[in-house]
Amino acid sequence: MKINLFKNMAELAICASLAFVISSCSDERHVVSIDVTEVTDEEVSDDEGSSTEKSSSSSSAKSKSSSSSAKSSSSSAEKSFFSKTWREDCLAKINEYRATEDLDPLKLAPEEKQTCTDNQATDDLASNKAHGHFGDCGEGAQNSGPNFSTSWRKTATEVTDAYLKMMWEDEKALVTSGERDPDKKEDYSYIGHYLNMKGNYKTVACGIALTEDGKKGWLNINFFRK
């Protein structure tokens, strides 16, 4: 489903997925997702003059993740992209938004969940499929930023800041204006990222994978009940 959620960032791709456990006796899950991509043929430039690139299909893409166990973690390009605190920065930004609604802060998920989210982003990037491995890390909800260009944002923190700003501010505006209703299932595809960010979760994992040439990346943000 293609929709124009973010008029000023039309070339970006953002996806949200949410799972509900129907009952304690069932592991059936219902997943709702959106794919916002290539809604315009015009190239969009950010306020620093760098242009974003269109989402591309690369099912055979080799990629590298932000996990410390990744083969290419020693490359200078990757080191300049991933700071030592980028995951903490991602968490802090989410909690900054949650605090505006007096919501309890989240904590970083355990290291194995972070590594799993990195690997999940690597697999999604390789298959070029948003939420293609949703649930593999035991998450209850997922926000994704597929196929972003590293010429658009130069560091992992800049990427997460930009996506989280759009996910929260743009989609919350649809709710506060009355255009979309959080209680209506059919509106989830328009405001799902915002609802996931403010949801009743306890921990979060932020994972990013880059293509081997470092030009493209994939962001997954996984939310956990515990």
Side-chain angles (χ1 to χ4, degrees):
M1 178 179 182
K2 295 184 178 181
I3 53 177
N4 190 352
L5 287 182
F6 314 117
K7 293 180 180 178
N8 294 329
M9 290 291 183
E11 295 293 341
L12 300 182
I14 307 178
C15 300
S17 183
L18 175 65
F20 299 96
V21 178
I22 302 304
S23 72
S24 60
C25 300
S26 171
D27 61 358
E28 181 182 359
R29 293 181 175 186
H30 294 264
V31 178
V32 183
S33 65
I34 58 173
D35 190 355
V36 185
T37 179
E38 294 187 44
V39 293
T40 178
D41 290 333
E42 296 178 359
E43 188 177 58
V44 179
S45 298
D46 66 17
D47 52 12
E48 296 175 353
S50 299
S51 62
T52 63
E53 297 180 12
K54 291 183 179 179
S55 298
S56 64
S57 176
S58 179
S59 59
S60 62
K62 293 181 180 178
S63 59
K64 51 190 177 182
S65 74
S66 55
S67 170
S68 59
S69 61
K71 280 183 183 178
S72 49
S73 61
S74 61
S75 70
S76 58
E78 189 175 359
K79 282 184 176 180
S80 65
F81 186 83
F82 294 109
S83 71
K84 291 182 179 180
T85 63
W86 82 269
R87 294 189 205 274
E88 287 78 7
D89 296 340
C90 180
L91 171 69
K93 184 59 65 174
I94 292 170
N95 284 335
E96 180 182 315
Y97 286 122
R98 287 175 63 91
T100 64
E101 297 191 14
D102 296 322
L103 298 169
D104 290 339
L106 303 181
K107 296 180 179 179
L108 276 181
E111 185 175 353
E112 60 267 24
K113 296 292 188 183
Q114 305 291 340
T115 300
C116 182
T117 303
D118 284 340
N119 293 337
Q120 187 184 57
T122 298
D123 292 339
D124 287 349
L125 176 61
S127 63
N128 196 36
K129 184 177 181 181
H131 312 303
H133 299 83
F134 176 72
D136 284 1
C137 301
E139 68 274 16
Q142 181 183 86
N143 288 358
S144 293
N147 285 321
F148 65 80
S149 168
T150 53
S151 66
W152 166 60
R153 292 293 185 266
K154 305 297 185 183
T155 68
T157 295
E158 290 179 4
V159 169
T160 56
D161 280 358
Y163 272 117
L164 290 169
K165 178 180 173 68
M166 289 186 288
M167 291 171 177
W168 184 275
E169 294 184 2
D170 289 31
E171 294 186 17
K172 182 176 181 176
L174 295 177
V175 175
T176 56
S177 69
E179 186 176 345
R180 298 295 170 185
D181 186 347
D183 294 325
K184 291 183 178 179
K185 187 184 298 185
E186 60 269 27
D187 282 351
Y188 175 74
S189 62
Y190 297 90
I191 56 177
H193 308 97
Y194 165 63
L195 298 181
N196 287 348
M197 287 176 66
K198 67 174 289 183
N200 187 25
Y201 299 101
K202 300 298 184 184
T203 63
V204 64
C206 303
I208 290 179
L210 299 179
T211 52
E212 198 160 277
D213 61 10
K215 293 182 178 180
K216 292 276 190 178
W218 193 288
L219 167 68
N220 279 349
I221 302 173
N222 286 337
F223 299 89
F224 301 89
R225 296 293 181 189
K226 58 182 181 179

